[in-house]
Amino acid sequence: MTKSIKEYYELLIKELKAEAEVTIVDEATTKIIFDGIEEDLEGYRFENQQRIKDSSEDISNVVFTS
């Protein structure tokens, strides 16, 4: 009989929990973690957009001067 991915991971979590190698975090902690990740990603997106804009300006300067 084939197990679903969810069943497999639920069993794996139970085994690791029994060995005290995993803890399940509550919703508040999860929200804090994901909010922090979102802030970091937003900063990365801004920096990436700035690099793209700078590259586009450099390319346009080369094209206009040639």
Side-chain angles (χ1 to χ4, degrees):
M1 181 161 90
T2 306
K3 290 183 188 178
S4 71
I5 294 174
K6 182 179 177 184
E7 291 171 336
Y8 172 77
Y9 283 105
E10 285 174 346
L11 179 61
L12 183 61
I13 288 171
K14 283 181 185 178
E15 289 174 6
L16 291 173
K17 206 172 186 182
E19 296 173 10
E21 294 183 16
V22 68
T23 49
I24 308 297
V25 294
D26 60 355
E27 283 295 319
T29 305
T30 302
K31 181 166 177 25
I32 291 169
I33 292 169
F34 278 102
D35 287 346
I37 292 170
E38 186 63 35
E39 287 178 22
D40 291 345
L41 284 176
E42 192 61 38
Y44 173 76
R45 286 183 200 122
F46 177 77
E47 291 172 7
N48 194 34
Q49 289 296 324
Q50 188 63 40
R51 283 193 299 261
I52 291 170
K53 181 181 174 187
D54 292 343
S55 295
S56 297
E57 289 174 359
D58 291 343
I59 291 169
S60 65
N61 285 337
V62 170
V63 170
F64 287 139
T65 58
S66 55

